[in-house]
Amino acid sequence: MKPTALITGASSGIGYHLAKWFAKAGYDLIIVARSKDKLLSLQTELHDSNVTVIPHDLSLPNSAYKLYEKIRDEGKTVEVLINNAGFGLSGKFEETSFETQQKLLHLNMVSLSNLTRLFIDDIIHSPFKTVPNGILNISSMAAFLPGPHMAAYHASKAYVQWYSEALAEELDPSGVTVTALCPGPTQTEFFKRAGNDKIMSSFRDAPEDVAREGFLGFIKGKRVVFPSMNIQAAVIFMKLLPSKTLAKIAKNMYTR
Ligand SMILES: NC(=O)c1ccc[n+]([C@@H]2O[C@H](COP(=O)([O-])OP(=O)(O)OC[C@H]3O[C@@H](n4cnc5c(N)ncnc54)[C@H](OP(=O)(O)O)[C@@H]3O)[C@@H](O)[C@H]2O)c1
């Protein structure tokens, strides 16, 4: 028997590459997203690993619990939870969709928290002692500054950051690793889905590099992982500035 890693948002971008890393490290996988075809194609690609595909929308009320029930119905436990699924919403606030904001908040914060609560007993009581058990949450550089024209997204990632860091401290005596991966701009579907593909288009990291750093950071038991020195330096610098200045910088970046 092998430990199982549940990866949300594995159909593209950072989650797709995280799935490859965890498969390579010998974990069984449960991969989740809405796009069934893309998940099945990843399952075929990872044919040497035991991969369970669960197409599921995590932006809907009670969706985390329904996923938990599906996994229990399969008779599986989860030793590593990778809360990666998430999206952004950019644009003039009063023109953004009420429904889309609601889904963003649900996916980025509520489902992430509910999955964490639902699987924490599996994680704490993992019988696999030779590999790390724990939670890898995909936060963002956006967690460290207010984001005018992307307010809900930045605020949701600030939630993910503090939630992760608090749990890392609280669960440390149980031997559970909680890692917050904080990518900067990364070349995925993210910006197109958020409604503005021009944002920082010449400064984006490759998703395979971001996933590699996240995976390695988790395996090493790190609490906060920046995928590059540049992103880490930018966050250190941001912490020195007043939040009003940061908001102006972000507004300029998003409305350019
Ligand atoms: N790209 C960046 O610049 C960047 C920077 C910092 C942090 N991040 C974070 O990194 C994470 C991964 O994003 P990415 O950049 O890899 O973007 P991506 O390519 O758009 O991937 C997002 C993943 O989430 C899944 N997803 C979206 N809505 C979902 C829903 N309602 N239910 C279940 N799954 C859903 C998508 O699959 P389906 O569409 O098939 O459901 C996809 O697999 C996100 O949390 C994002 O906030 C990204």
Side-chain angles (χ1 to χ4, degrees):
M1 241 177 79
K2 291 176 172 180
T4 299
L6 163 61
I7 308 180
T8 69
S11 63
S12 69
I14 298 167
Y16 166 86
H17 291 284
L18 282 169
K20 288 181 154 188
W21 275 103
F22 278 90
K24 205 170 161 186
Y27 288 81
D28 287 347
L29 301 185
I30 301 171
I31 53 174
V32 177
R34 292 165 303 174
S35 311
K36 186 176 175 185
D37 291 355
K38 289 186 188 171
L39 293 178
L40 288 173
S41 127
L42 177 57
Q43 185 186 42
T44 308
E45 203 178 329
L46 300 176
H47 54 83
D48 288 336
S49 304
N50 182 359
V51 180
T52 303
V53 166
I54 306 186
H56 194 75
D57 187 341
L58 282 165
S59 69
L60 305 173
N62 216 22
S63 47
Y65 194 77
K66 286 182 183 155
L67 175 60
Y68 173 76
E69 284 185 317
K70 284 185 190 177
I71 291 169
R72 282 293 185 259
D73 288 347
E74 300 255 356
K76 292 185 184 298
T77 56
V78 167
E79 282 73 38
V80 177
L81 170 63
I82 300 148
N83 282 308
N84 165 77
F87 74 95
L89 171 61
S90 92
K92 217 171 162 194
F93 182 68
E94 63 272 31
E95 291 170 8
T96 53
S97 145
F98 169 82
E99 287 76 18
T100 309
Q101 174 172 280
Q102 187 160 267
K103 286 184 173 190
L104 182 154
L105 298 176
H106 200 92
L107 179 65
N108 293 12
M109 296 189 293
V110 179
S111 282
L112 175 144
S113 314
N114 288 348
L115 288 174
T116 304
R117 179 62 192 88
L118 288 164
F119 286 111
I120 196 62
D121 287 339
D122 286 6
I123 295 168
I124 289 176
H125 302 297
S126 164
F128 302 98
K129 301 299 175 202
T130 52
V131 290
N133 47 319
I135 302 150
L136 171 56
N137 285 336
I138 313 310
S139 176
S140 172
M141 187 184 177
F144 302 95
L145 76 169
H149 292 258
M150 237 179 162
Y153 178 72
H154 279 241
S156 75
K157 290 300 179 179
Y159 173 86
V160 173
Q161 188 65 30
W162 291 121
Y163 185 75
S164 307
E165 291 198 45
L167 288 182
E169 177 64 23
E170 185 175 337
L171 296 171
D172 187 51
S174 322
V176 171
T177 294
V178 183
T179 301
L181 170 63
C182 305
T186 306
Q187 189 56 47
T188 66
E189 306 283 308
F190 176 85
F191 291 101
K192 204 160 58 178
R193 289 178 193 236
N196 186 350
D197 202 18
K198 290 184 194 147
I199 299 167
M200 303 201 78
S201 54
S202 33
F203 298 98
R204 294 187 193 164
D205 290 323
E208 47 269 49
D209 296 344
V210 173
R212 182 191 61 237
E213 294 308 310
F215 169 78
L216 292 174
F218 172 77
I219 295 292
K220 288 177 192 157
K222 288 191 178 175
R223 292 190 182 186
V224 181
V225 175
F226 299 101
S228 69
M229 295 289 280
N230 286 347
I231 301 300
Q232 184 168 15
V235 170
I236 290 169
F237 180 63
M238 280 174 354
K239 285 181 176 175
L240 301 173
L241 296 177
S243 59
K244 193 171 174 185
T245 307
L246 288 172
K248 285 184 191 303
I249 293 171
K251 183 174 159 192
N252 186 35
M253 193 170 74
Y254 288 144
T255 53
R256 205 180 284 167

